[in-house]
Amino acid sequence: MIILDGISDRALSGKTPLSAANTPILDEFAKNGINGIMDPIAPGIRPGSDTGHLAIFGYDPFKCYPGRGPIEALGVGIKLDSGDVAFRINFATVDGEGSVFEKIVTDRRAGRISETNSLIRAVIGRVKIGTQYILAKGTGHRGVLVLKGNFSEKVSDTDPKKPGEKVKKCLPLEEGAINTARIVNEFLEQAHKVLDSHEFNIKREQKGLPKANAILTRGAGKFKKVISFEEKYKLKFAMISGTALVKGIARFIGGDVIEVKGATGSKDTNINAKIKAAIDSLDEYDFVAVHIKATDEFGHDMDFQGKLKFIEKIDKELSKLFELDFSKVCLIITADHSTPVSVGDHTADPVPVVICHEGVRVDEVKKYSEFEAYKGGLCRIRGIDLIKIALDLINKAEKFGA
Ligand code: ZN
Ligand code: ZN
């Protein structure tokens, strides 16, 4: 399964980056497969990349999405137990007198610091909050905080989301969350004391760099184990992605993540290496997903030409997939949501999907695009049905009834 993050778009002067791009390889798959248009979650629901991926792997995000914190924690490689409450964190710069909650956030990203290992070690060594916790580094200034034990995820964010405001107190959003909020506030207060006087930060200050002297939390969520993809579909699952959030989704559904050198989750990613790794891993895995992120980034950047050019770049790299034996392999090419350049964010517009396998009802669609896909034999489907449809096409679906 090739997931082209946010590839589909809305029309500008009648064209989308995908429909305007020269994509002979994608079009060849469209010609030889069964096509359709897909609502990743449901009509009118704007997916996140996490909920969109969950849905197209057959998991109802309205029932099992644990929130951003746990997915990020799994994404950076933390093992979670059911009941753990996880937060996304970032290192920030605060200034002022007194308690951390009296101070003003001057830089939410502490100058986009990325060297946070020594700071994390210092916090872990010195901050005691009377309960077991995990603090781990994410990409750049980001990270995750996990509270082990009996805590509630119903607490507010402490990140004010914009500079010039005070660090927010963590507030309970329900009665059962009073203790959790108190623990989070205690953690932030102690962490600030440790970080503000840390040698690494003193050196940063001397160099004129902003101190990473506070931790801000957001996106609290409680982890709960779900039935694994392998148990659900009898298929061993692997994910190839450079994006922590998507790796987190893969681990959330009990799958493995294959690390590929050069898979950056950004515009400079090595698509060739990812496709090659996917083909090689088909010996070991039954289901391999390859996630390509940058199409979404160009959508967020509102860059029509950039998105178009990147789509053409992907197209060239996909030619390797012709090596596959389509009597044995089923190939799906789709997206987790649309990210129109005219909007700069995700929308609920449905996405194209093509399924290639020997014996599928090949339809009249000749081009892989938003405008052609809906004329195909799959018509309009929901993401949650996609794996079931593919399983049927390869004769692996369970029969319902006699
Ligand atoms: Zn996405
Ligand atoms: Zn996005």
Side-chain angles (χ1 to χ4, degrees), residues 4-6 47-50 53 246 291 293 296 300 336-337 339 346:
L4 305 167
D5 201 311
S49 281
D50 43 12
H53 274 82
V246 173
H291 168 246
K293 173 72 178 164
D296 174 63
H300 285 288
D336 55 342
H337 52 78
T339 312
H346 306 180

Side-chain angles (χ1 to χ4, degrees), residues 39-346:
D39 296 288
I41 298 179
I45 303 294
R46 292 173 57 210
S49 281
D50 43 12
T51 50
H53 274 82
L54 269 181
I56 63 179
F57 294 145
Y59 290 78
D60 183 349
F62 288 110
K63 291 194 183 131
C64 70
Y65 179 57
R68 192 76 190 259
I71 300 295
E72 289 280 347
L74 293 165
V76 303
I78 294 174
K79 291 225 173 359
L80 294 177
D81 296 313
S82 280
D84 287 354
V85 172
F87 303 78
R88 306 178 70 196
I89 63 126
N90 37 303
F91 281 89
T93 310
V94 297
D95 195 20
E97 296 299 320
S99 142
V100 70
F101 302 105
E102 293 298 312
K103 298 195 177 180
I104 304 288
V105 177
T106 54
D107 186 340
R108 281 185 63 245
R109 303 182 179 95
R112 289 198 174 268
I113 186 171
S114 61
E115 305 272 302
T116 55
N117 284 322
S118 63
L119 299 176
I120 287 173
R121 276 198 303 275
V123 170
I124 292 170
R126 291 171 55 196
V127 171
K128 308 287 173 212
I129 50 172
T131 188
Q132 212 191 332
Y133 69 87
I134 299 168
L135 181 67
K137 183 174 163 41
T139 41
H141 57 282
R142 300 184 198 91
V144 290
L145 170 68
V146 180
L147 298 180
K148 310 287 284 183
N150 189 21
F151 292 100
S152 168
E153 76 284 19
K154 302 277 192 257
V155 291
S156 66
D157 296 344
T158 59
D159 184 344
K161 308 267 161 77
K162 50 182 180 227
E165 293 190 9
K166 282 184 189 169
V167 177
K168 289 187 165 176
K169 266 207 155 146
C170 182
L171 300 173
L173 304 175
E174 62 174 27
E175 210 168 312
I178 294 171
N179 188 42
T180 309
R182 186 186 60 76
I183 292 270
V184 170
N185 290 328
E186 181 63 33
F187 177 84
L188 297 196
E189 192 71 79
Q190 285 190 36
H192 171 54
K193 288 213 176 79
V194 171
L195 294 170
D196 198 44
S197 58
H198 193 281
E199 187 188 356
F200 185 81
N201 269 326
I202 305 291
K203 280 197 186 130
R204 274 179 73 83
E205 200 172 33
Q206 284 163 356
K207 284 187 226 160
L209 294 168
K211 288 163 102 177
N213 61 356
I215 288 175
L216 304 173
T217 56
R218 64 200 154 106
K222 187 177 273 195
F223 175 71
K224 197 171 155 236
K225 226 175 153 154
V226 293
I227 179 173
S228 74
F229 190 91
E230 189 167 351
E231 248 180 288
K232 200 173 157 87
Y233 298 116
K234 313 286 179 277
L235 299 173
K236 197 170 175 208
F237 179 105
M239 166 64 80
I240 296 173
S241 171
T243 307
L245 191 70
V246 173
K247 292 182 194 178
I249 291 292
R251 293 185 179 123
F252 182 67
I253 61 173
D256 287 344
V257 171
I258 298 174
E259 298 291 352
V260 175
K261 220 175 151 215
T264 59
S266 196
K267 293 166 185 173
D268 59 354
T269 195
N270 188 343
I271 303 168
N272 185 280
K274 288 163 89 168
I275 301 292
K276 191 176 174 305
I279 293 173
D280 292 346
S281 62
L282 286 172
D283 291 336
E284 196 183 336
Y285 293 94
D286 307 303
F287 181 97
V288 180
V290 180
H291 168 246
I292 299 172
K293 173 72 178 164
T295 31
D296 174 63
E297 287 184 12
F298 284 108
H300 285 288
D301 294 347
M302 305 175 98
D303 180 355
F304 189 102
Q305 274 308 318
K307 194 171 177 183
L308 183 155
K309 289 276 170 259
F310 194 80
I311 290 169
E312 292 184 343
K313 186 177 160 184
I314 295 172
D315 189 75
K316 284 200 188 80
E317 304 288 5
L318 294 184
S319 63
K320 238 187 141 31
L321 295 170
F322 287 132
E323 288 172 16
L324 297 171
D325 175 355
F326 285 94
S327 68
K328 297 202 180 90
V329 175
C330 176
L331 172 71
I332 305 171
I333 306 175
T334 191
D336 55 342
H337 52 78
S338 300
T339 312
V341 292
S342 59
V343 180
D345 205 346
H346 306 180

Side-chain angles (χ1 to χ4, degrees), residues 2 31 87 133 145 185-186 250 271 289 353 368-369 379 398 401:
I2 310 286
K31 276 179 217 161
F87 303 78
Y133 69 87
L145 170 68
N185 290 328
E186 181 63 33
I271 303 168
V353 54
Y368 186 81
S369 86
C379 302
E398 263 179 50

Side-chain angles (χ1 to χ4, degrees), residues 8-10 38-40 44-45 47 337-338 340 343 347-351 380:
S8 55
D9 217 288
R10 289 181 183 168
M38 180 175 79
D39 296 288
I45 303 294
H337 52 78
S338 300
V343 180
T347 64
D349 298 270
V351 302
R380 185 166 180 159

